[in-house]
Amino acid sequence: MTELPKSSSSEELQQQQQSGADKAATKIQAGFRGYQVRKKLQQQQQQQHQQEPRRNSSAATINNQLQQLDNGTTQRQGQMEAKQQHQREQLHRQHSYDCYDGESSGSESLEDKSATVIQARVRGFLVRRRRHNENEAATKIQARFRGFRTRKLLKQTGQ
């Protein structure tokens, strides 16, 4: 009877070792596949930069326009800030359409195109969320300053 539990425990031990080996192999395979995809994307980007200098110059122009818009936002508030945000969003949309609208050489797979679209949308979401948080922070600062100013005026008038 003592031998039966030893054999079952050795079987369990073998199963645990096998599942550990399977997990390790899965992690290695996932890492290698990620490496392959990153390398392939890097090669495709290099080929696109060599084949299409027009896109590089338009991207630089868009980046310059975005930078110019960003420089003015700290000085203006209200309607002007909303207008600039709208212009930025239009430039981002225009740039994403220029780069991802299917004008590529056709060698991209559906998975690559899908990944590109997902990445672009996630980046857009992150920019919008950051912008929303900045607006909330500015509103809190303004409200606290107004409260401070009101309390100061009340204190000076003796109320």
Side-chain angles (χ1 to χ4, degrees):
M1 287 194 163
T2 57
E3 291 181 21
L4 183 61
K6 287 183 182 178
S7 65
S8 65
S9 65
S10 66
E11 289 175 5
E12 290 175 10
L13 181 62
Q14 287 177 351
Q15 287 176 354
Q16 289 175 353
Q17 288 175 347
Q18 183 64 30
S19 68
D22 289 343
K23 288 179 183 178
T26 302
K27 286 183 181 182
I28 292 170
Q29 289 171 352
F32 182 70
R33 286 185 187 131
Y35 166 75
Q36 285 180 321
V37 169
R38 287 188 298 275
K39 186 174 179 179
K40 183 178 178 182
L41 287 174
Q42 185 179 21
Q43 290 172 349
Q44 287 176 352
Q45 287 174 352
Q46 287 175 352
Q47 289 174 354
Q48 285 178 352
H49 288 300
Q50 291 172 355
Q51 294 172 356
E52 300 179 22
R54 180 186 61 87
R55 278 202 184 161
N56 289 339
S57 64
S58 68
T61 304
I62 290 171
N63 286 335
N64 288 337
Q65 290 173 350
L66 290 174
Q67 189 173 18
Q68 289 172 357
L69 289 173
D70 285 336
N71 290 336
T73 57
T74 56
Q75 298 172 356
R76 298 180 192 101
Q77 291 185 359
Q79 293 177 348
M80 196 62 175
E81 192 171 311
K83 181 180 176 183
Q84 290 173 346
Q85 177 65 21
H86 180 70
Q87 289 174 344
R88 258 189 243 107
E89 289 171 358
Q90 285 180 335
L91 285 172
H92 282 294
R93 272 190 238 119
Q94 179 184 1
H95 177 64
S96 66
Y97 288 137
D98 287 345
C99 292
Y100 310 120
D101 64 353
E103 293 179 6
S104 62
S105 61
S107 64
E108 285 187 273
S109 71
L110 177 62
E111 292 170 345
D112 291 338
K113 290 179 183 178
S114 299
T116 303
V117 169
I118 290 169
Q119 289 170 355
R121 292 197 178 159
V122 166
R123 287 186 191 118
F125 165 75
L126 293 174
V127 167
R128 287 188 298 275
R129 185 174 66 180
R130 186 183 76 221
R131 184 69 177 167
H132 176 74
N133 291 341
E134 289 173 356
N135 286 337
E136 283 185 350
T139 303
K140 285 181 183 180
I141 290 169
Q142 291 169 354
R144 289 182 181 172
F145 177 76
R146 288 183 189 124
F148 164 77
R149 186 175 57 191
T150 303
R151 285 188 299 275
K152 183 179 176 182
L153 288 173
L154 288 174
K155 190 175 183 180
Q156 287 176 352
T157 59
Q159 292 181 353

